[in-house]
């Protein structure tokens, strides 16, 4: 009794203590960054304006191709603030007004905004309307004021506006009556109240308008015709002179409109440039008295002398970027040239009026994986000796951004990662090197120190310094970013392909870049465009002497029928193993479920003539392919015709393209949707590498249903042609959505459902035997998510659970897709609060863990939604057996649980895609979301039932065990003493 009286309270105390350590859904502040990381980018910079006032932080304002406007710190390149505008709100121009406002023109010149320079808060917004769409131009004159108000001059929508810089009020506006007038430049001479608007009408007429800048009055309108016509590009060389090319690109035209009088001066390029071959292109720039043209790969700088006379000042054979002119004094302007030469870039700053004088001349070593410079922006500062210093902001071919100053790279940003187009995962190498005793002792000391700190934190005895040390140790764990595999499979490489055609390998531990590789140009292909990324070689874990590799498929040019390029890249080192320039286009890529003896996966490439090409081109691969020849099927989608076709292989190619690895294709079937009532808006299939744990699903009444598992099932969503526009553009009676499940081997439609009054866009995900899709319900004015589950009735005899357990079933019997399958479907629809940008599903190593939908919301966050909420068998009053099975009572809408946001309080700006990668640990899946930002985390849909958490206190467990042993020993001694005393009585 004595033991019980002492031991039971102690045991209850221990149980209560451990119950307080049980995992919960919420995330503590000190856990942020342990299993996730978040990176912010802005995209490829297209415009930049420096703000280097003596007071306040020095910064540069940029606009990018991702529709981002951002303020960057000039010291470190960090983001002070940024705004991501909508996809339809493209930024046309930026500038700084009054030294404290950022002015942006966007949406085709329709929206003019002012932002507060220090914090990025919007000050005002103006909408500029006009008679028709036109080129958009933004001009901020430095010395033009109307009633003590600085003026912003905007040409947009074929109308010239003068807008107040303080409040955005339109002061005056001027329309242009000339038909087909295309404005090229808006010019305001320094110290003048005149504005010149110049451009072309038709193809051979030059137009000039002279306007009073204070009231918008038209002072003069002149036009002149040049019979040979113009190319649509002008270079401004002075406030009253521009340079253009004729329609053939062989004659330079110096156009002067001094005092409102237009005059042409023609100069054939062959007269000033020897051995010129091919048409010329004007390089956009604004350097007084000088302009640049490009002929083939040669950049030529030409000075305008006197009345339209031209003089070549320099020819550069290297790729060259030219900046705009920068005033450095009242009478001097400087500009910069950046030339690419092998592993270096040469920087030169010159005076506009003195080409031979170099204000700056430097050479800097540059990583060749950054490519050539695309743009350069120049800024000056005053050194301590009162001389001029320069800093250059350079945009490289891979979309990276660099600040160069005093012969060194001050900082760089990998903003190419803001435009990821494809992602795949690769394992890290196996750790094989031995570990020294000193390292083991050091790691043991750090381990003990860490657990002692954790113990102090658990017992609430930790000081603020201890709490900071705990957080620092967690974030700087050496195991997190180790370049070797871990036994749980959390450490991997994310191989991403960007729009610039560059590959990056990101470590899942902390997101750092392991290596990068730019797809280089070749003689056969000068402009490769990255398309897709595929697993090429994945060696088995015992083949330690082989590195995995990926296949990058590119196109040599923007056209869909341009020849393809194959690049094979080692995922451990980033080295390009091989590159093949194809003589055919690549319209479709089909990864086959077969590998050769070297673990290279077979791929079938379909060209524009519907020929199928096998890669790798080896005799072994050809032998494997021939054995599976009759079992290879694929489909193609013709969106513009609303047709889906099924294909199979026919025979070897005949004609000019004939070789033993080329095969002709034949059409097996086609599904033609009526163009007047249906338009294809979405198609989706299952992942090729998805694991399904079991085909059987045991119901609440012990009945068994069998999932219809087929990799040849295609989900297709069509909408009414009128309903393919923006939401709300049609009435419910004019719009509908039809969902199909189609077998791609036979073309048989297994299921069809119509949602009347529904409209796209449609986002869908297919997993196992179910598909979930999201759309808008016009009748209810709400978004909806629908689920379809398909089951196989041909196995209806296997209803006995004991047969399933004992293996007495026909699950392994062969099934032919040519016989009509006996299937049943279950479907249900639910209201959903958010608009959706992307949707994915979790994937695990064995497919045992329950599924969660990962939904990219309109707020650029990722929401995890349990698949049980989208169970079509949900009912208002589920039976007790259904409750025990886990079926949730039916509600009309899906719940949004704040704790279910995978991204927590973070946002993945411009979210475009969500990728899931299974870890070796069955309970865990790795989630990668990308857009302008990147986000990575680990997710356990059914909790981490197969492992202890990383913050589990082993020291506390050890102390508890010791305390229990000591308590047992003490109580045993007390019990012995009491028994002895009782005996003496």
């Amino acid at each position: 009794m004595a033991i019980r009286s002492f031991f039971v309270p102690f045991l209850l105390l221990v149980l209560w203590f451990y119950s307080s350590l049980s995992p919960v859904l919420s995330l503590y502040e000190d856990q942020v960054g342990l299993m996730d990381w978040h990176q912010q980018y802005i995209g490829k910079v297209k415009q930049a304006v420096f703000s280097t006032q003596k007071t306040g932080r020095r910064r540069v304002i940029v606009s990018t191709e991702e529709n981002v406007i951002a303020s960057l710190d000039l010291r470190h390149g960090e983001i002070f603030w940024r705004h991501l505008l909508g996809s339809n709100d493209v930024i046309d121009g930026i500038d700084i007004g009054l030294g404290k406002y950022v002015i942006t023109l966007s949406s085709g010149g329709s929206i003019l905004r002012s932002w507060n320079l220090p914090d990025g808060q919007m000050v005002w917004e103006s909408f500029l309307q006009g008679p028709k769409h036109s080129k958009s131009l933004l001009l901020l004159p430095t010395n033009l004021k109307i009633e003590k108000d600085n003026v912003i001059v905007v040409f947009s929508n074929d109308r010239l506006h003068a807008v107040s810089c303080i409040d955005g009020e339109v002061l005056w506006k001027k329309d242009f009556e000339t038909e087909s007038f295309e404005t090229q430049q808006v010019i305001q001479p320094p110290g003048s109240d005149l504005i010149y608007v110049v451009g072309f009408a038709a193809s051979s007429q030059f137009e000039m308008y002279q306007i009073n800048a204070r009231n918008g009055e038209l002072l003069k309108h002149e036009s002149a015709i040049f019979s040979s016509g113009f190319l649509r590009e002008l270079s401004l060389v002075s406030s009253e002179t521009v340079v253009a090319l004729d329609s053939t690109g062989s004659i330079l035209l110096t156009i002067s409109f001094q005092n409102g009088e237009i005059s042409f001066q023609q100069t054939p390029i062959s007269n000033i440039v020897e051995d010129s071959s091919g048409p010329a292109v004007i390089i956009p720039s604004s350097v007084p008295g000088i302009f640049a043209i490009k002929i083939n790969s040669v950049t030529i700088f030409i000075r305008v002398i006197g009345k339209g006379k031209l003089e070549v000042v320099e020819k550069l054979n290297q790729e060259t970027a030219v900046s705009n002119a920068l005033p450095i004094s009242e009478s001097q302007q400087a500009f910069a040239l950046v030339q690419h030469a092998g592993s270096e870039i040469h920087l030169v700053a010159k005076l506009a009026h003195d080409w031979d004088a170099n204000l700056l001349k430097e050479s800097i070593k540059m990583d060749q994986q950054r490519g050539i410079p695309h743009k350069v922006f120049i800024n000056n500062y005053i050194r301590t000796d009162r001389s001029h210093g320069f800093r250059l902001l350079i945009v490289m071919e891979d979309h990276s951004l660099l600040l160069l100053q005093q012969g060194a790279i001050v900082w760089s940003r990998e903003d190419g990662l803001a435009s990821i187009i494809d992602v795949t995962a690769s394992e890290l190498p196996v750790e094989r090197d031995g570990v020294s005793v000193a390292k083991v002792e050091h790691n043991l000391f750090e381990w003990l120190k860490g657990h002692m700190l954790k113990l102090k934190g658990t017992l609430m005895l930790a000081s603020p310094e201890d709490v900071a040390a705990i957080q620092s140790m967690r974030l700087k764990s050496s195991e997190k970013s180790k370049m070797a595999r871990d036994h749980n499979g959390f450490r991997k490489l994310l191989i991403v392909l960007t729009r610039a055609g560059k590959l990056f390998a990101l470590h899942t531990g902390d997101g750092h870049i392991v290596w990068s590789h730019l797809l280089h140009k070749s003689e056969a292909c000068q402009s490769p465009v990255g398309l897709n990324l595929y697993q090429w070689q994945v060696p088995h874990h015992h083949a330690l002497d082989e590195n995995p590799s990926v296949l990058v498929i590119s196109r040599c040019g923007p056209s869909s029928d341009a020849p393809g390029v194959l690049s094979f890249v080692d995922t451990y080192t980033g080295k390009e193993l091989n590159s093949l320039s194809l003589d055919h286009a690549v319209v479709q890529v089909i990864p086959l479920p077969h590998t050769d003896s070297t673990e290279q996966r077979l791929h079938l490439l379909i060209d524009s003539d519907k020929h199928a090409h096998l890669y790798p081109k080896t005799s072994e691969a050809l032998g494997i392919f021939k054995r599976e020849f009759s079992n290879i099927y694929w489909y193609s989608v013709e969106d513009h015709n609303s047709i889906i076709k099924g294909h199979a292989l026919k025979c070897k190619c005949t004609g000019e393209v004939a070789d033993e690895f080329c095969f002709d294709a034949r059409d097996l079937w086609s599904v033609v949707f009526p163009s007047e009532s249906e338009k294809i808006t979405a198609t989706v299939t299952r992942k090729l590498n998805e694991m399904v744990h079991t085909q059987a699903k045991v119901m609440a009444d012990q009945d068994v249903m069998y999932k219809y598992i087929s990799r040849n099932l295609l989900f297709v969503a069509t909408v009414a042609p009128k309903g393919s526009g923006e939401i709300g553009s049609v009435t419910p009676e004019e719009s509908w959505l039809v969902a199909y499940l189609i077998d791609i081997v036979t073309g048989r439609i297994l299921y069809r459902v119509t949602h009347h009054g529904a409209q796209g866009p449609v986002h869908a995900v297919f997993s196992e035997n179910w598909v979930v899709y999201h759309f808008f319900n016009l009748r209810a004015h709400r978004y909806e998510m629908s689920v379809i589950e398909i089951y196989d009735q041909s196995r209806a005899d296997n209803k006995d659970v004991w047969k399933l357990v004992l293996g007495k079933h026909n699950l392994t019997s062969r099934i032919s897709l040519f016989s009509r399958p006996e299937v049943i479907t279950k479907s249900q629809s639910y209201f959903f609060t958010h608009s959706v940008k992307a949707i994915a599903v979790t994937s695990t190593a064995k497919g045992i863990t329950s599924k969660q939908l990962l939904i990219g919301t309109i707020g650029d966050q990722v929401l995890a939604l349990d698949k049980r909420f989208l169970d079509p068998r949900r009912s208002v009053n589920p039976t007790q057996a259904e409750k025990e099975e886990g079926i949730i009572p039916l509600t009309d809408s899906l719940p949004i649980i704040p704790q279910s946001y995978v991204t927590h309080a973070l946002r993945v700006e411009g979210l475009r895609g969500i990728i899931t990668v299974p870890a070796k640990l069955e309970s865990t899946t790795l989630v990668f979301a990308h857009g302008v930002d990147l986000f990575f985390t680990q997710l356990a849909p059914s909790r981490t039932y197969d492992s202890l958490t990383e913050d589990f206190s082993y020291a506390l467990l050890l102390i508890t065990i010791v305390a229990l042993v000591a308590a047992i020993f003490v109580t045993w001694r007390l019990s012995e003493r009491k028994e002895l005393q009782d005996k003496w009585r």
Side-chain angles (χ1 to χ4, degrees):
M1 293 296 293
I3 294 178
R4 180 179 298 175
S5 63
F6 182 87
F7 186 72
V8 170
F10 184 82
L11 184 60
L12 291 174
L13 178 65
V14 171
L15 291 174
W16 170 82
F17 189 74
Y18 268 97
S19 66
S20 65
L21 299 178
S22 60
V24 292
L25 283 175
S26 48
L27 189 73
Y28 293 103
E29 183 180 0
D30 63 346
Q31 291 178 312
V32 174
L34 291 180
M35 296 183 296
D36 56 65
W37 45 264
H38 180 229
Q39 298 176 356
Q40 294 181 318
Y41 296 99
I42 56 176
K44 183 182 180 181
V45 171
K46 59 182 183 180
Q47 294 172 307
V49 183
F50 289 88
S51 174
T52 54
Q53 298 173 343
K54 293 183 179 180
T55 59
R57 294 176 174 177
R58 296 185 177 183
R59 63 185 76 208
V60 58
I61 308 300
V62 298
S63 67
T64 73
E65 292 183 355
E66 303 298 326
N67 280 349
V68 173
I69 174 174
S71 173
L72 303 180
D73 182 6
L74 268 183
R75 293 180 180 273
H76 309 290
E78 297 173 350
I79 299 174
F80 282 139
W81 55 262
R82 63 175 179 167
H83 295 290
L84 176 63
L85 305 184
S87 58
N88 296 326
D89 196 6
V90 178
I91 301 172
D92 303 306
I94 61 169
D95 211 331
I96 296 179
L98 300 179
K100 59 182 179 179
Y101 300 121
V102 177
I103 309 299
T104 63
L105 181 66
S106 61
S107 193
S110 299
I111 303 177
L112 186 69
R113 297 183 179 96
S114 175
W115 315 83
N116 194 28
L117 179 61
D119 57 12
Q121 296 295 318
M122 187 187 293
V123 180
W124 51 259
E125 181 180 49
S126 293
F127 295 91
L128 308 178
Q129 304 299 326
K132 64 179 182 179
H133 179 72
S134 67
K135 187 176 182 179
S136 302
L137 299 169
L138 174 66
L139 176 66
L140 266 73
T142 56
N143 57 353
L144 178 61
K145 291 187 177 182
I146 300 178
E147 298 179 358
K148 298 182 180 182
D149 189 357
N150 284 64
V151 175
I152 304 169
V153 178
V154 177
F155 184 88
S156 65
N157 297 313
D158 207 32
R159 178 177 289 170
L160 189 68
H161 305 78
V163 183
S164 167
C165 191
I166 297 176
D167 56 12
E169 179 186 358
V170 178
L171 303 176
W172 55 260
K173 51 190 175 182
K174 175 64 180 177
D175 288 330
F176 297 89
E177 300 177 354
T178 305
E179 293 185 4
S180 68
F181 176 58
E182 296 182 11
T183 300
Q184 298 296 323
Q185 294 279 356
V186 176
I187 308 163
Q188 197 258 336
S192 171
D193 289 341
L194 299 178
I195 293 177
Y196 291 101
V197 179
V198 297
F200 303 111
S203 60
S204 59
Q205 185 169 316
F206 181 80
E207 299 279 342
M208 186 279 300
Y209 292 86
Q210 188 185 75
I211 297 172
N212 188 332
R214 296 193 175 277
N215 53 24
E217 179 186 357
L218 178 62
L219 302 178
K220 202 168 190 180
H221 172 214
E222 295 288 338
S223 63
I225 295 176
F226 181 71
S227 58
S228 298
F230 303 95
L231 289 179
R232 297 293 197 227
E233 190 65 49
L234 288 178
S235 182
L236 180 67
V237 293
S238 73
S239 59
E240 295 178 334
T241 306
V242 294
V243 175
L245 282 166
D246 75 330
S247 57
T248 64
S250 60
I251 298 176
L252 284 168
L253 298 169
T254 307
I255 308 173
S256 174
F257 42 90
Q258 190 173 7
N259 300 323
E261 301 294 331
I262 300 175
S263 63
F264 294 131
Q265 180 72 35
Q266 303 181 42
T267 306
I269 295 178
S270 58
N271 290 357
I272 58 175
V273 180
E274 297 179 358
D275 302 327
S276 61
S277 61
V281 177
I282 290 180
I283 299 177
S285 63
S286 60
V287 180
I290 294 176
F291 67 96
I293 62 174
K294 190 171 184 179
I295 302 176
N296 297 327
S297 59
V298 180
T299 303
I300 304 167
F301 292 90
I302 302 173
R303 179 186 288 124
V304 180
I305 304 172
K307 296 182 179 180
K309 294 183 179 180
L310 304 181
E311 176 190 16
V312 175
V313 292
E314 191 162 353
K315 292 171 63 177
L316 301 175
N317 294 320
Q318 297 94 351
E319 293 286 346
T320 306
V322 188
S323 75
N324 286 336
L326 170 73
I328 57 176
S329 66
E330 291 184 359
S331 60
Q332 292 183 325
Q333 295 191 42
F335 68 99
L337 304 177
V338 179
Q339 303 171 57
H340 179 264
S343 60
E344 291 185 340
I345 58 172
H346 303 308
L347 314 177
V348 181
K350 294 176 177 288
L351 289 173
H353 66 277
D354 187 0
W355 183 270
D356 297 327
N358 292 330
L359 300 175
L360 172 73
K361 189 172 184 179
E362 296 173 343
S363 295
I364 297 178
K365 288 284 185 181
M366 184 64 64
D367 184 2
Q368 295 187 24
Q369 301 303 331
R370 295 192 184 277
I372 62 175
H374 275 189
K375 290 179 181 291
V376 58
F377 306 92
I378 186 173
N379 178 243
N380 73 309
Y381 60 93
I382 304 298
R383 297 192 182 105
T384 54
D385 61 355
R386 310 306 298 172
S387 62
H388 288 286
F390 295 93
R391 55 175 70 95
L392 303 180
L393 190 70
I394 300 179
V395 183
M396 300 299 291
E397 183 182 359
D398 67 341
H399 298 184
S400 60
L401 186 66
L402 301 88
L403 183 72
L404 277 60
Q405 185 175 334
Q406 296 181 353
I409 299 175
V410 180
W411 51 258
S412 62
R413 294 180 52 88
E414 295 291 351
D415 284 302
L417 288 169
S419 57
I420 293 175
I421 58 177
D422 205 357
V423 185
T424 189
S426 173
E427 293 289 348
L428 283 164
V430 177
E431 187 175 21
R432 290 177 286 176
D433 297 332
V435 182
S436 65
V437 176
K439 187 174 181 180
V440 171
E441 290 176 350
H442 174 74
N443 290 341
L444 180 61
F445 173 75
E446 293 293 330
W447 183 84
L448 291 173
K449 178 183 176 182
H451 281 292
M452 289 304 297
L453 287 173
K454 288 180 183 179
L455 178 61
K456 290 176 68 175
T458 303
L459 299 176
M460 299 182 183
L461 300 176
S463 64
E465 292 78 10
D466 292 335
V467 173
I470 293 171
Q471 180 70 357
S472 177
M473 290 179 67
R474 286 176 171 177
L475 294 177
K476 296 180 180 179
S477 172
S478 60
E479 296 294 322
K480 184 176 180 180
S481 56
K482 199 173 183 179
M483 285 299 298
R485 301 183 192 183
D486 61 314
H487 63 279
N488 289 330
F490 295 160
R491 291 197 296 263
K492 294 181 184 292
L493 288 179
L494 293 172
I495 313 299
V496 302
L497 175 64
T498 68
R499 193 181 301 132
K502 189 172 185 179
L503 281 175
F504 289 90
L506 306 178
H507 196 293
T508 58
D510 55 6
H512 75 270
I513 298 172
V514 178
W515 55 260
S516 61
H517 175 76
L518 181 66
L519 301 178
H520 293 289
K521 300 176 182 178
S522 63
E523 294 183 2
C525 184
Q526 291 295 319
S527 55
V529 179
L531 293 177
N532 294 104
L533 194 59
Y534 298 92
Q535 294 280 0
W536 176 252
Q537 187 175 20
V538 185
H540 198 265
H541 66 274
H542 66 264
L544 300 180
D545 57 335
E546 295 286 346
N547 290 2
S549 57
V550 293
L551 167 64
V552 185
I553 298 183
S554 309
R555 183 188 295 139
C556 190
S559 174
S560 60
D561 57 355
V565 180
L566 306 185
S567 301
F568 306 91
V569 180
D570 189 318
T571 62
Y572 287 173
T573 63
K575 180 182 178 182
E576 188 167 351
L577 304 175
N578 192 15
S579 180
L580 299 176
S581 296
L582 308 181
D583 55 1
H584 59 82
V586 180
V587 176
Q588 193 173 356
V589 181
I590 305 169
L592 301 176
H594 309 291
T595 58
D596 60 14
S597 59
T598 62
E599 305 289 344
Q600 289 184 347
R601 182 177 292 275
L602 275 61
H603 288 73
L604 207 59
L605 275 57
I606 314 300
D607 64 18
S608 54
D609 296 324
K610 295 184 180 180
H611 296 305
H613 303 266
L614 176 66
Y615 291 89
K617 290 189 172 184
T618 62
S619 57
E620 181 187 2
L622 185 61
I624 297 171
F625 182 75
K626 286 182 177 179
R627 289 196 295 270
E628 301 294 334
F629 188 87
S630 60
N631 295 324
I632 297 174
Y633 302 89
W634 71 94
Y635 71 95
S636 61
V637 180
E638 299 177 11
D639 294 329
H640 57 286
N641 294 328
S642 294
I643 299 175
I644 299 179
K645 294 182 178 180
H647 311 280
L649 297 170
K650 182 179 179 182
C651 60
K652 288 188 177 181
C653 294
T654 56
E656 297 180 359
V657 296
D659 66 44
E660 59 179 339
F661 300 98
C662 177
F663 301 88
D664 284 330
R666 57 192 175 97
D667 294 342
L668 293 179
W669 53 265
S670 62
V671 177
V672 181
F673 300 96
S675 57
E676 65 277 1
S677 60
E678 294 185 50
K679 180 181 179 181
I680 298 174
T681 186
T683 58
V684 66
T685 59
R686 281 181 55 204
K687 279 186 178 181
L688 292 176
N689 59 350
E690 184 186 32
M691 295 295 296
V692 180
H693 175 60
T694 178
Q695 187 180 356
K697 184 174 183 178
V698 181
M699 301 293 154
D701 56 359
Q702 303 305 313
D703 193 7
V704 180
M705 295 186 70
Y706 293 95
K707 304 172 186 176
Y708 185 79
I709 305 295
S710 174
R711 299 186 186 277
N712 300 309
L713 209 55
L714 172 68
F715 170 79
V716 181
T718 65
V719 296
K722 289 185 178 180
S724 59
E726 294 183 358
I727 292 176
S729 59
V730 293
T731 63
E733 291 74 19
E734 295 176 317
S735 184
W736 52 84
L737 184 149
V738 186
Y740 298 86
L741 290 177
I742 301 175
D743 190 303
I744 64 173
V745 175
T746 62
R748 186 177 289 116
I749 297 176
L750 301 182
Y751 181 72
R752 178 182 184 274
V753 62
T754 302
H755 301 271
H756 294 283
Q759 191 178 5
V762 178
H763 297 273
V765 62
F766 205 143
S767 177
E768 293 189 354
N769 69 317
W770 54 265
V771 59
V772 171
Y773 52 102
H774 175 277
F775 56 93
F776 187 77
N777 188 327
L778 289 169
R779 296 184 188 276
H781 302 285
R782 299 173 70 177
Y783 288 100
E784 279 191 14
M785 291 186 75
S786 291
V787 57
I788 301 172
E789 291 187 358
I790 183 168
Y791 293 93
D792 190 354
Q793 283 293 94
S794 63
R795 306 184 185 278
D797 295 336
N798 298 320
K799 295 288 185 179
D800 192 349
V801 177
W802 288 110
K803 283 187 178 180
L804 182 67
V805 173
L806 297 174
K808 296 180 178 180
H809 51 74
N810 62 350
L811 293 181
T812 58
S813 60
R814 291 180 176 271
I815 298 176
S816 174
L817 291 175
F818 291 102
S819 60
R820 185 173 186 86
E822 300 177 24
V823 297
I824 61 169
T825 56
K826 297 179 180 293
S827 61
Q828 185 65 271
S829 295
Y830 305 90
F831 290 123
F832 189 66
T833 306
H834 295 296
S835 174
V836 168
K837 286 188 171 183
I839 185 169
V841 64
T842 56
S843 57
T844 55
K846 303 297 182 183
I848 300 173
T849 305
S850 58
K851 302 283 187 180
Q852 281 188 341
L853 291 172
L854 301 176
I855 302 169
T857 66
I858 192 66
D860 291 325
Q861 291 186 296
V862 180
L863 175 70
L865 183 65
D866 198 318
K867 170 60 174 63
R868 293 184 302 160
F869 288 110
L870 283 153
D871 192 331
R873 297 185 300 122
R874 287 177 63 183
S875 59
V876 177
N877 296 310
T879 64
Q880 185 61 32
E882 290 175 335
K883 290 180 181 178
E884 293 175 359
E885 186 187 341
I887 293 179
I888 302 171
L890 179 64
T891 55
D892 63 345
S893 60
L894 298 171
I896 304 296
I897 304 171
Q899 292 85 353
S900 296
Y901 281 100
V902 175
T903 47
H904 320 305
L906 303 173
R907 296 180 61 183
V908 186
E909 294 285 357
L911 179 65
R912 284 189 295 267
I914 304 171
I915 310 299
T916 60
V917 180
K920 288 184 181 179
L921 204 63
E922 171 57 29
S923 64
T924 308
T925 183
L926 309 180
V927 179
F928 178 63
H930 63 89
V932 175
D933 294 347
L934 307 182
F935 179 81
F936 175 85
T937 190
Q938 299 172 16
L939 191 63
S942 300
R943 306 286 187 89
T944 51
Y945 56 81
D946 49 1
S947 67
L948 296 174
T949 58
E950 288 187 0
D951 58 348
F952 182 82
S953 180
Y954 293 93
L956 183 60
L957 176 62
L958 181 62
I959 292 172
T960 304
I961 293 173
V962 172
L964 285 173
V965 171
I968 292 172
F969 179 75
V970 170
T971 52
W972 174 73
R973 291 293 297 170
L974 291 174
S975 176
E976 288 289 327
R977 182 180 297 180
K978 190 174 185 305
E979 288 182 3
L980 183 60
Q981 290 175 355
D982 289 341
K983 290 179 180 179
W984 278 105
R985 290 177 185 175

